[in-house]
Amino acid sequence: MSRKAILALLLAALTLTAGCSFLAPNPESYSSTYDYSVGVDATGTLEDVTIRVPLPQVDGETVVDADVVAPNGTVEAFDATVVETAYGPMLELTADEFVVETRYYRFVEEDGLGRREEISESEYDPSNPNHQRVDQRTVRVHVTQEATYPIETRTPVGESPTFYPAATRELADCRVPYQDETACFDYDAPVYLSYDAPADARVSGSIMLTGSNEWFAGGWTGNSYTDHVTFRVTGPRDGWIVANGTTETGRGNYPSPEP
């Protein structure tokens, strides 16, 4: 065999070996997580409040317990616990009173950094673009929990935790198309709202779960699915409502490597 042929074979072998090392994940280079968040906004004071929103579940069991969402049993102004309902385990938020007061702020810059500071009503100037009036109160909670790799993200319903796995999901247009693997589904999502409130008080909520796989193969990449429930109502409430549910599946890169 000629010297050039031997050199060509060595280069080919080196390229193949380097390519395999570059592309294949090692045991430390992949992970899976669940991200769960709840947000509630109100523009008026609520009294005698009970709100129940979905928790991610699979086979009737939640993967995010109350001690993870609310380690001390509270989420800001609410007491928080997990309750069983006809729709599976849900996060229950309760309060004797959820006070909403108008607050005023101004934006200031110091040393090249901007920040917002609260001011009095008398200091507030509605014509000043650096002044802000806030007529609502917002409560947010967000937790991240590690999961066993890999999470099923293309067909998660029944395989991975979702909201309302028994709900009838109908194929819908995705707001942001990604690639051929991505699909979106709409469904009815029961949420329990009970409180006294002014007739013009608006209450809205956003509950989201994202299951993600990540791995390193010459750069970080991954795939995910998202389940999202939203509602917006006005005035007092006393019972179950039908919120909007959307499940987005197959976002990211496929196939994912096996550990």
Side-chain angles (χ1 to χ4, degrees):
M1 182 178 294
S2 68
R3 183 177 178 181
K4 289 185 177 180
I6 294 173
L7 181 60
L9 287 174
L10 288 174
L11 288 174
L14 180 60
T15 301
L16 178 60
T17 303
C20 291
S21 174
F22 182 72
L23 293 175
N26 61 61
E28 302 300 323
S29 69
Y30 51 80
S31 65
S32 296
T33 56
Y34 298 121
D35 288 280
Y36 174 70
S37 63
V38 176
V40 176
D41 300 312
T43 63
T45 295
L46 313 179
E47 297 181 345
D48 193 19
V49 186
T50 299
I51 297 174
R52 294 173 184 160
V53 296
L55 284 163
Q57 57 175 298
V58 61
D59 295 330
E61 298 292 332
T62 181
V63 297
V64 181
D65 295 325
D67 59 352
V68 175
V69 180
N72 59 357
T74 62
V75 174
E76 196 173 313
F78 295 107
D79 292 327
T81 188
V82 173
V83 296
E84 289 295 332
T85 73
Y87 307 103
M90 303 187 82
L91 178 67
E92 182 179 83
L93 306 174
T94 59
D96 293 334
E97 187 176 42
F98 182 72
V99 178
V100 179
E101 297 177 330
T102 301
R103 297 179 183 272
Y104 303 89
Y105 300 89
R106 66 182 172 194
F107 294 94
V108 296
E109 184 175 338
E110 293 180 357
D111 301 325
L113 299 176
R115 63 182 176 85
R116 188 178 76 163
E117 65 179 20
E118 190 169 358
I119 59 177
S120 65
E121 182 178 1
S122 61
E123 295 176 283
Y124 172 70
D125 179 1
S127 65
N128 190 330
N130 291 319
H131 286 197
Q132 181 185 36
R133 170 175 171 162
V134 178
D135 294 314
Q136 70 179 33
R137 183 176 180 183
T138 301
V139 171
R140 293 279 187 273
V141 61
H142 175 266
V143 296
T144 299
Q145 189 162 311
E146 292 185 359
T148 301
Y149 180 93
I151 297 171
E152 173 54 59
T153 60
R154 280 183 286 195
T155 56
V157 180
E159 300 291 334
S160 300
T162 58
F163 302 139
Y164 312 103
T168 300
R169 286 168 162 81
E170 297 183 354
L171 190 64
D173 292 333
C174 293
R175 293 183 179 180
V176 181
Y178 291 93
Q179 62 279 317
D180 292 342
E181 299 284 353
T182 306
C184 294
F185 305 85
D186 290 341
Y187 63 93
D188 291 339
V191 170
Y192 186 85
L193 303 176
S194 177
Y195 46 77
D196 293 324
D200 61 348
R202 299 185 304 276
V203 177
S204 59
S206 174
I207 307 92
M208 182 176 289
L209 168 73
T210 300
S212 303
N213 298 312
E214 286 188 305
W215 65 90
F216 189 89
W220 285 103
T221 188
N223 53 57
S224 66
Y225 72 94
T226 300
D227 217 354
H228 194 195
V229 171
T230 59
F231 64 86
R232 183 183 296 271
V233 297
T234 302
R237 293 284 156 173
D238 186 23
W240 294 96
I241 68 164
V242 178
N244 300 314
T246 301
T247 305
E248 181 188 81
T249 66
R251 179 172 56 183
N253 295 320
Y254 295 89
S256 61
E258 295 296 332

